[in-house]
Amino acid sequence: MYREMGLVSASTHMPQDDAGLLVLVRRGDEHAMAMLFDRYSKVVYSVALRVLRDPSSAEDILQEVFMQLWRNPDSFSTTRGNLGGWLAVVTRNRSIDALRRRRPVDAVEDMILAAPYDVADEAERNTMMEKARSVIYRLPVEQRKTLEMAFFDGLTHSEIAEMTGDPLGTVKTRIRSALMTLRKAFQG
Amino acid sequence: MNTARHYETDDLALFAMQLLSKDEMAVVAAHVADCQLCRQQVAQFQGDLAVYAMTSEVHSPPAQARERLMKQIAREKKMVPVERTPAPVPFERVQPRGQTIFAGAEPTSSIGRGLGSGRYLEEREAEKPKRNIAAAIFPWIGWAAAAGLAVMLGSLYHERDSLRSAMTTQAGQIDRLSAEAASAKQLMDAMTDPAAKKVTLTKTAATPAPPQPQGKVTYVPEKGTLIFVANNMEPLQVYKVYELWLIPADGRDPIPAGTFHPDERGNASVIMPPLPKGIEAKAFGVTIEDDGGSQTPTMPIVMAGS
């Protein structure tokens, strides 16, 4: 499934790993940029489409995120996690910004991402997606829906509380618990 | 910044998702910048979110997206930085023990100055200002010129940067407008193409209550162009979506042809969803799916037409 998402990438066994391609992008190599696009465009587009539900807007975010990478490849460094995950989160944040028609909240450079999976291992990477989905589907429905509303719909905890009628504290706890369950599943 | 008091993990999760208010975001960001423990927790939440983000259903971007990006990239070709050799330091020489002396000036230590009568010293003192002024002024003229040049270059650099940025923005707008024009032309071509197949979809189960939901598909198989317009659609539950399906004539599995939500008047449309070219359609159908759509239709088919 990760292969389908275009997440097969960072392995050192591949002819060009992400770090190598980023070095080339830093030197202005357009072909390297095209390879990164081919590798991750599905991830970026899928996340943007999931948030925005509009192909045209999702394509705009796709362009924006990859142009950001082209203009400033140093905004991502390998110490910040894996490129696929980093792009996914940056895309989600930019999509929520677009959804709320607000200026980007943070500089992408500020985001550090502790990857809970081994990006160098292709087999493990390929099973990550299925595993994540199954973990999410096993969550209590309230937790699953609350996380979805917060992450993919960009609703604040106050907005979620207002919509669902649940107390603020409950909403916050559900979000944190859902993420902790996801993390534990990958640590175990 | 007080780092002794840490933020609750619940709040750090919201911070990682950028769901706090602007002021709260700023306060937590300032704390996180100084607090290793909270920073680690935020990084872990970012990692969790990366995994969660990737659970999105997989969609391929439109083919022209790559072309558009590569055009934009070609327009913003990078200037590869040239390795700079360290600039010579003509006016300075560095003394041992960290003393820096301007060339041309006399050493300030007594070593080498010569010791003698007071008169001799006075002569030296008398000569010294002339030589020192010249020695001191000329290097500084050079530095001043260099500084002026640097300021000018900096200003030119910023000017170039802002021009480049403006050009990029305009180029992006041109690209966007071109794409929209091409899309509009394609739409017009499909609407007026005599070879276009026009199918009217009606609700499968005949219910007497008017008005009936109705959908119209205009489909050009050779170009993979499809336009679907529906009206009188019934509202859906939250987290549900209508999905249009193209049922191929060659018996292959139904192909998803876009999802849609009707507006408050029951109107909806799907304009040119990404579809493979050259697929002859046997029929079209509409199902109700979970939000985000599905790759396989979920029964029952609520609307169909062939």
Side-chain angles (χ1 to χ4, degrees), chain B residues 119-140:
Chain B
R119 185 169 187 174
Y120 171 76
L121 279 173
E122 275 172 20
E123 283 169 6
R124 296 282 304 205
E125 292 295 319
E127 284 173 16
K128 212 169 136 186
K130 289 180 190 170
R131 290 170 64 188
N132 281 353
I133 286 168
I137 286 175
F138 281 115
W140 283 109

Side-chain angles (χ1 to χ4, degrees), chain A residues 10-55:
Chain A
S11 170
T12 49
H13 303 12
M14 294 188 66
Q16 285 281 19
D17 62 10
D18 290 346
L21 288 175
L22 283 170
V23 168
L24 294 174
V25 167
R26 239 170 252 129
R27 292 178 192 159
D29 188 322
E30 293 170 31
H31 181 64
M33 193 63 209
M35 286 177 76
L36 285 176
F37 180 86
D38 292 341
R39 197 170 282 176
Y40 292 119
S41 59
K42 275 187 184 176
V43 174
V44 171
Y45 184 71
S46 300
V47 172
L49 192 60
R50 175 70 186 81
V51 174
L52 295 164
R53 300 169 192 182
D54 173 50

Side-chain angles (χ1 to χ4, degrees), chain A:
Chain A
M1 181 65 88
Y2 289 166
R3 193 188 301 277
E4 194 187 345
M5 282 288 278
L7 291 176
V8 178
S9 62
S11 170
T12 49
H13 303 12
M14 294 188 66
Q16 285 281 19
D17 62 10
D18 290 346
L21 288 175
L22 283 170
V23 168
L24 294 174
V25 167
R26 239 170 252 129
R27 292 178 192 159
D29 188 322
E30 293 170 31
H31 181 64
M33 193 63 209
M35 286 177 76
L36 285 176
F37 180 86
D38 292 341
R39 197 170 282 176
Y40 292 119
S41 59
K42 275 187 184 176
V43 174
V44 171
Y45 184 71
S46 300
V47 172
L49 192 60
R50 175 70 186 81
V51 174
L52 295 164
R53 300 169 192 182
D54 173 50
S56 171
S57 307
E59 197 190 324
D60 283 348
I61 295 293
L62 176 77
Q63 298 288 324
E64 188 184 320
V65 168
F66 278 99
M67 282 312 295
Q68 165 77 37
L69 194 62
W70 170 251
R71 287 171 188 146
N72 188 12
D74 292 329
S75 57
F76 172 77
S77 94
T78 46
T79 56
R80 293 178 185 276
N82 67 84
L83 183 60
W86 185 83
L87 284 170
V89 178
V90 167
T91 301
R92 178 267 174 189
N93 292 345
R94 289 290 169 271
S95 302
I96 296 293
D97 291 339
L99 199 66
R100 296 196 155 215
R101 298 181 195 286
R102 67 184 182 193
R103 292 172 67 81
V105 170
D106 65 344
V108 286
E109 293 83 356
D110 293 343
M111 195 182 71
I112 298 172
L113 181 144
Y117 44 85
D118 181 7
V119 292
D121 185 273
E122 190 174 326
E124 190 175 335
R125 204 165 55 238
N126 287 346
T127 54
M128 185 190 83
M129 175 85 160
E130 289 298 343
K131 190 173 176 181
R133 280 194 165 185
S134 76
V135 172
I136 292 297
Y137 280 113
R138 282 202 306 272
L139 287 175
V141 70
E142 298 83 12
Q143 273 188 29
R144 177 153 45 94
K145 287 293 175 197
T146 306
L147 181 61
E148 192 177 321
M149 290 163 94
F151 188 76
F152 285 120
D153 298 334
L155 296 172
T156 65
H157 54 300
S158 314
E159 288 168 333
I160 296 170
E162 198 176 316
M163 286 174 76
T164 58
D166 294 319
L168 270 177
T170 306
V171 171
K172 286 160 83 167
T173 306
R174 278 180 187 158
I175 293 170
R176 191 245 306 147
S177 302
L179 291 175
M180 297 296 271
T181 307
L182 193 60
R183 185 185 308 168
K184 274 181 196 158
F186 281 87
Q187 285 171 344

